[in-house]
Amino acid sequence: MRTLLIAGNWKLNPTTAEAASALAEGVKHGLGAATDVHVAVAPPFVFLSQVDRVLEGSPVGLSGQDLYWENAGAFTGEISGPMLVDVGCTHVILGHSERRHGQGETSAQVNAKLKAALAAKLIPIVCIGETKDERLAEKTEAVLLDQLQGSLADLSPEEMAGVVLAYEPVWAIGTGLTASPEQAQSAHAFIRGWLSRTFGEATAGRVVVQYGGSVKPDNAVELLGLPDVDGALVGGASLKAADFLAIIKAGQEVAARGKS
Ligand code: PGA
């Protein structure tokens, strides 16, 4: 079984350094030394250094929410892979729907960012997912295919094995709507099938594919128990340490009992 990765995407929250430290403290103390699932948090850039200090000695990974494909230079407002590594990051989220749809980010740009993340030795979490209109028009698989091909272009199987994917149906993000277990498993199986055809079965078997979109303590066990779901990318529920810890606990239960 692939090791589950539960990651908390804090987005543009919380609004103070003190609150960011308190949230990180809560996760660190609640988790202790448990390592049967991988855990990471993605605070806003400005809090990364201090959250890294809070997390010292804990197995919780630290993630950026984005990066720029150039390492340094005249790029106002951007943050690079080496900068993220310098402040303690292990992971970076790329191509989140709030960037693809909110900021017009393309799969070609996500691909350039992915290559920069791999060069910086960060673990990239590449997000893909369809909008409500695309699902209603039965275009889910076509959209996923397009995003997979564009975002993951020119990767070797070895590079691919080190990339985490997050299937996040856009209509489920922050809405309280969750994909049904059938919808989630079907999308994840489609992604796994494409990985297998493109990179080979062995590589496809190694790639961690998270589900994201209104994951909460009360639906986590069911979603994480699905055969091709290897973790969760958690937004809203990662802002309360108790809720995030409950989702991690659900992952630990699934890890302990195994999947069929
Ligand atoms: P949500 O966000 O859990 O608040 O739906 C998920 C995400 O955007 O990664």
Side-chain angles (χ1 to χ4, degrees), residues 81-161:
M83 290 174 181
L84 291 179
V85 170
D86 191 57
V87 293
C89 284
T90 47
H91 295 68
V92 63
I93 298 169
L94 298 174
H96 189 277
S97 79
E98 285 149 19
R99 300 207 61 82
R100 287 183 188 267
H101 297 286
Q103 313 283 338
E105 196 165 296
T106 65
S107 288
Q109 290 173 325
V110 174
N111 185 245
K113 292 180 175 192
L114 173 57
K115 286 172 185 161
L118 290 170
K121 306 248 177 299
L122 288 161
I123 299 170
I125 301 176
V126 176
C127 306
I128 56 172
E130 81 288 358
T131 63
K132 185 176 171 200
D133 286 350
E134 289 162 347
R135 176 162 283 272
L136 290 175
E138 297 184 6
K139 287 188 185 148
T140 297
E141 292 189 351
V143 169
L144 295 181
L145 181 63
D146 190 57
Q147 292 179 339
L148 287 166
Q149 286 174 332
S151 308
L152 306 175
D154 311 321
L155 256 56
S156 67
E158 203 43 49
E159 286 171 326
M160 186 64 233

Side-chain angles (χ1 to χ4, degrees), residues 4-260:
L4 301 180
L5 170 62
I6 313 292
N9 176 10
W10 294 2
K11 307 189 180 183
L12 192 62
N13 303 289
T15 53
T16 65
E18 197 183 336
S21 285
L23 181 52
E25 283 282 358
V27 174
K28 177 181 173 175
H29 286 293
L31 184 66
T35 54
D36 47 352
V37 300
H38 292 153
V39 177
V41 293
F45 290 134
V46 289
F47 303 143
L48 283 170
S49 279
Q50 98 189 39
V51 168
D52 181 56
R53 281 194 294 278
V54 171
L55 294 177
E56 213 185 305
S58 102
V60 180
L62 185 67
S63 179
Q65 297 179 14
D66 188 25
L67 58 61
Y68 192 60
W69 52 80
E70 297 287 349
N71 285 347
F75 304 102
T76 302
E78 301 292 357
I79 303 281
S80 72
M83 290 174 181
L84 291 179
V85 170
D86 191 57
V87 293
C89 284
T90 47
H91 295 68
V92 63
I93 298 169
L94 298 174
H96 189 277
S97 79
E98 285 149 19
R99 300 207 61 82
R100 287 183 188 267
H101 297 286
Q103 313 283 338
E105 196 165 296
T106 65
S107 288
Q109 290 173 325
V110 174
N111 185 245
K113 292 180 175 192
L114 173 57
K115 286 172 185 161
L118 290 170
K121 306 248 177 299
L122 288 161
I123 299 170
I125 301 176
V126 176
C127 306
I128 56 172
E130 81 288 358
T131 63
K132 185 176 171 200
D133 286 350
E134 289 162 347
R135 176 162 283 272
L136 290 175
E138 297 184 6
K139 287 188 185 148
T140 297
E141 292 189 351
V143 169
L144 295 181
L145 181 63
D146 190 57
Q147 292 179 339
L148 287 166
Q149 286 174 332
S151 308
L152 306 175
D154 311 321
L155 256 56
S156 67
E158 203 43 49
E159 286 171 326
M160 186 64 233
V163 175
V164 174
L165 296 178
Y167 168 61
E168 298 205 297
V170 180
W171 49 271
I173 295 176
T175 58
L177 298 172
T178 315
S180 67
E182 293 73 26
Q183 287 171 326
Q185 173 54 30
S186 153
H188 281 244
F190 174 79
I191 293 164
R192 187 93 52 205
W194 180 82
L195 288 170
S196 183
R197 290 193 299 282
T198 310
F199 296 99
E201 205 182 326
T203 299
R206 289 168 64 193
V207 177
V208 168
V209 187
Q210 298 177 302
Y211 168 81
S214 298
V215 177
K216 307 284 177 209
D218 61 0
N219 59 24
V221 168
E222 187 169 37
L223 288 163
L224 293 171
L226 296 169
D228 284 297
V229 173
D230 311 315
L233 185 53
V234 185
S238 72
L239 297 175
K240 279 194 190 144
D243 286 356
F244 190 54
L245 289 164
I247 293 169
I248 295 168
K249 193 156 174 276
Q252 290 170 329
E253 268 173 52
V254 170
R257 74 160 190 247
K259 298 196 197 193
S260 48

